[in-house]
Amino acid sequence: MVQQVTPETTIEVIYPESDGQPMADNTEQFAWIVKIKENLEILFPLPEDVFIAGDLFWYPVKGNPNIKQAPDTLVVFGRPKGKRGSYLQWNEDNIPPQVVFEILSPGNTLKEMTKKLQFYQRYGVEEYYIYDPDKNDLNGLLRSEDSFEVIEEMNGWVSPRLGIRFQLTSDTLEIFSPSGQKFLTTVEIDQLREQERQRAEQERQRAEQERQRAEQECQRAEQECQRAEQECQAKEAALQELEKERDRYQELLAKLQEQGIDTDNL
C-alpha cells in the first residue's frame, strides 16, 4: 500500500488596507494632513521615484500583518509614483519611508504616540515630524544610527531630505519650499490661480488697448501721409500750371518780337 502525501498548503496572508477608522478626528487635523501631503506632491511633481501618500498602511515585515502603521503623510525616495492599496515594503525594494508626518488631535494618547515613535525608529524612518495644531507645537526627530535624536530648535529647521523649512508664528505653523514658496491650502491655491487669471486678463486687455491705440495712431499717420501727398500733388499741379503760363508768356513775347514790337517797353 502506497501512502499518499498531502501537499502543504500555503496560507495566504491578508494585509488589510483599512482599519475602519477615520483618516482624521476633526476638520483641522484633516486640513493639515491634506495641506502637507498635497504641497509635497506639488514640490516633487517630476521625479518619478518619489512616492508620497497620506493615511496609507505601511507593512514593513512580510508575513506579519499585525506590524503596521498608517502615517498621516509619508514620503519614500527611490520608489515610483502610482496607486497602492498599502505600502508593502518587501515589494518596494525593501525601502522604508524616509520621512513621516503626524498631525495630533485631542484623541491621540501618549501611549499611541510612543508606539508610533518606536515603530518609526525601529523600521528605518530618517525624519519624523509631529505637529499639534491646537497647541501650535512642532517637534522633530532625526535618525542618528539606530535611534532618533530630538531636533532642539524646530523654528527655522530645514528638512535634510525634503529641503522644506518650518517656521512657527505666534498662532500657526508655516512651511516653505526650497524656493521660498509657502505651503498653501487648496482654497488659497485656487484664490492665487484666480488672481493670476485676473491679472493675465487685465494684461491682455491692456495689450489689446495698446494695440488699438497703435492701430489708431497708424491710421492717423496714414491719413496725414495721404493729406501731405494730396497737398504735394496740388502744389505740383499748381507749379506745372505756372510753368505752362510761363511758357505761354514766353511764346507771346516771341510772337510780339517777331512782329517788331519792342517788348521791353510794354
Side-chain angles (χ1 to χ4, degrees), residues 29 54 82 93 96 127 134 155 188 211 234 236 244 249 256:
Q29 185 187 25
D93 287 346
E127 302 176 40
D134 290 338
N155 197 20
E188 291 170 331
R211 187 195 65 78
E236 185 176 350
K244 289 178 181 179
Y249 178 72
L256 290 174

Side-chain angles (χ1 to χ4, degrees), residues 26-76:
N26 54 61
T27 56
E28 186 172 24
Q29 185 187 25
F30 179 80
W32 272 103
I33 294 171
V34 172
K35 182 178 182 178
I36 291 173
K37 188 263 184 187
E38 291 303 308
N39 277 272
L40 288 175
E41 293 276 16
I42 294 171
L43 182 59
F44 296 101
L46 296 179
E48 291 298 323
D49 62 344
V50 180
F51 174 66
I52 301 166
D55 195 43
L56 183 74
F57 268 139
W58 162 26
Y59 292 93
V61 180
K62 186 176 182 179
N64 194 336
N66 295 319
I67 300 176
K68 65 181 183 297
Q69 279 295 342
D72 287 335
T73 301
L74 61 81
V75 183
V76 190

Side-chain angles (χ1 to χ4, degrees), residues 10-14:
T10 302
I11 300 175
E12 182 182 2
V13 180
I14 304 298

Side-chain angles (χ1 to χ4, degrees), residues 85-138:
S86 59
Y87 190 81
L88 306 177
Q89 187 171 313
W90 54 93
N91 289 337
E92 307 283 355
D93 287 346
N94 207 35
I95 299 175
Q98 292 96 350
V99 186
V100 299
F101 293 83
E102 293 288 353
I103 307 300
L104 298 186
S105 70
N108 291 125
T109 64
L110 178 61
K111 180 180 180 180
E112 176 188 359
M113 298 311 298
T114 300
K115 284 184 176 180
K116 286 186 177 183
L117 188 151
Q118 291 173 340
F119 181 96
Y120 297 145
Q121 180 174 268
R122 179 173 182 179
Y123 292 107
V125 170
E126 297 175 11
E127 302 176 40
Y128 176 26
Y129 300 106
I130 311 151
Y131 180 58
D132 185 341
D134 290 338
K135 297 179 180 178
N136 189 30
D137 183 41
L138 175 67

Side-chain angles (χ1 to χ4, degrees), residues 1-229:
M1 182 177 180
V2 178
Q3 183 178 3
Q4 293 183 347
V5 178
T6 304
E8 293 183 5
T9 58
T10 302
I11 300 175
E12 182 182 2
V13 180
I14 304 298
Y15 302 92
E17 297 179 358
S18 172
D19 58 2
Q21 298 297 316
M23 179 177 176
D25 293 342
N26 54 61
T27 56
E28 186 172 24
Q29 185 187 25
F30 179 80
W32 272 103
I33 294 171
V34 172
K35 182 178 182 178
I36 291 173
K37 188 263 184 187
E38 291 303 308
N39 277 272
L40 288 175
E41 293 276 16
I42 294 171
L43 182 59
F44 296 101
L46 296 179
E48 291 298 323
D49 62 344
V50 180
F51 174 66
I52 301 166
D55 195 43
L56 183 74
F57 268 139
W58 162 26
Y59 292 93
V61 180
K62 186 176 182 179
N64 194 336
N66 295 319
I67 300 176
K68 65 181 183 297
Q69 279 295 342
D72 287 335
T73 301
L74 61 81
V75 183
V76 190
F77 289 85
R79 294 307 302 155
K81 299 182 186 301
K83 296 179 180 180
R84 290 169 175 78
S86 59
Y87 190 81
L88 306 177
Q89 187 171 313
W90 54 93
N91 289 337
E92 307 283 355
D93 287 346
N94 207 35
I95 299 175
Q98 292 96 350
V99 186
V100 299
F101 293 83
E102 293 288 353
I103 307 300
L104 298 186
S105 70
N108 291 125
T109 64
L110 178 61
K111 180 180 180 180
E112 176 188 359
M113 298 311 298
T114 300
K115 284 184 176 180
K116 286 186 177 183
L117 188 151
Q118 291 173 340
F119 181 96
Y120 297 145
Q121 180 174 268
R122 179 173 182 179
Y123 292 107
V125 170
E126 297 175 11
E127 302 176 40
Y128 176 26
Y129 300 106
I130 311 151
Y131 180 58
D132 185 341
D134 290 338
K135 297 179 180 178
N136 189 30
D137 183 41
L138 175 67
N139 288 280
L141 298 107
L142 192 65
R143 176 166 294 277
S144 176
E145 296 182 353
D146 294 330
S147 62
F148 279 142
E149 287 187 0
V150 174
I151 301 170
E152 296 297 338
E153 182 54 66
M154 281 303 301
N155 197 20
W157 172 260
V158 177
S159 162
R161 272 284 187 176
L162 305 176
I164 61 176
R165 176 171 56 87
F166 301 94
Q167 195 70 45
L168 283 164
T169 68
S170 59
D171 57 357
T172 191
L173 168 65
E174 294 180 343
I175 306 174
F176 297 88
S177 71
S179 64
Q181 180 65 47
K182 182 180 174 181
F183 277 26
L184 302 173
T185 65
T186 52
V187 173
E188 291 170 331
I189 291 172
D190 186 67
Q191 289 173 344
L192 281 180
R193 185 183 297 114
E194 177 60 21
Q195 291 172 4
E196 288 298 325
R197 187 196 66 79
Q198 291 177 358
R199 277 197 290 269
E201 177 62 20
Q202 291 171 355
E203 288 297 327
R204 188 196 66 78
Q205 291 176 355
R206 279 196 291 270
E208 178 62 19
Q209 291 170 355
E210 288 297 326
R211 187 195 65 78
Q212 291 176 354
R213 278 196 292 270
E215 186 175 343
Q216 291 170 354
E217 289 295 328
C218 183
Q219 289 175 351
R220 280 195 291 270
E222 186 174 348
Q223 291 170 356
E224 289 295 329
C225 182
Q226 289 175 350
R227 278 196 294 270
E229 186 175 350

Side-chain angles (χ1 to χ4, degrees), residues 252-266:
L252 178 59
L253 288 177
K255 288 180 180 180
L256 290 174
Q257 288 173 351
E258 288 176 359
Q259 296 176 6
I261 299 173
D262 186 5
T263 57
D264 293 334
N265 295 319
L266 289 177

